[in-house]
Amino acid sequence: TDLINESGKEWWRGFYTNATTFDLSAALADTTSYRYKLLLRDIDAIAAQLRKFQHADVPVLWRPLHEAAGGWFWWGAKGAESYQKLWRLLFDRLMNMHEMHNLIWVCTSNDFSWHPGNNVVDVIGLDIYTDPSSAMNSEWEAAQMVFDGAKMVALSESGTMPDVDKIRSFGVRWSWFSIWSGH
């Protein structure tokens, strides 16, 4: 909702902050509002799709609301507190109302102050776009320190393939990695 829909800000780009005026903090503040109900409607629509995997006994690496701290998506545009509330709403509704128990919750934010809480996150995801020669060890070590090794850490997006020899030499143990590029 609240899409700008003009050149460069077309309706289909509405997940980007610059293509919508949607105010997440206002929507979350009024649970009787039209916009709050839209959030619930969308969560319920997502649940219907995820249920197909649950019925087939397929676990899902569920990575919603990624890169919120960057501010370029509407779910991060109003700050960490609104994002954390939305994450908890999503978690509560999918887990408790829809009884989705096949989801492995992956929270992707390189700014750990945005973390919504260990009780609603299974895996820490890091999106790292860096020099191909980087071992990405400092980011991995930071996550290990913050979460005291209690959470698996994944390289959820990277523009380059990790150098196996290099990450081994630094003791980096990504749970998995995903390459995000046009190549």
Side-chain angles (χ1 to χ4, degrees), residues 110 126-141 155 157-170 172 174 177 179:
N110 293 29
L126 298 177
D127 291 358
I128 303 171
Y129 291 86
T130 188
D131 181 312
S133 67
S134 172
M136 298 178 252
N137 59 305
S138 60
E139 295 92 339
W140 187 85
E141 289 166 358
L155 180 55
E157 282 184 29
S158 180
T160 59
M161 181 87 134
D163 181 312
V164 175
D165 292 330
K166 196 170 279 191
I167 63 174
R168 277 189 185 150
S169 71
F170 282 99
V172 175
W174 298 113
F177 59 88
I179 304 305

Side-chain angles (χ1 to χ4, degrees), residues 14-73:
F15 52 90
Y16 285 114
T17 302
N18 69 354
T20 183
T21 60
F22 180 72
D23 185 331
L24 177 61
S25 59
L28 292 171
D30 182 0
T31 60
T32 64
S33 73
Y34 170 73
R35 284 166 181 76
Y36 184 83
K37 290 176 183 173
L38 282 177
L39 290 171
L40 298 182
R41 184 199 69 186
D42 285 355
I43 294 169
D44 296 344
I46 291 165
Q49 300 306 312
L50 291 171
R51 185 169 319 287
K52 296 172 187 177
F53 293 101
Q54 182 162 293
H55 288 318
D57 292 323
V58 175
V60 175
L61 289 168
W62 179 236
R63 186 178 166 246
L65 310 171
H66 76 298
E67 298 179 356
W72 43 82
F73 300 123

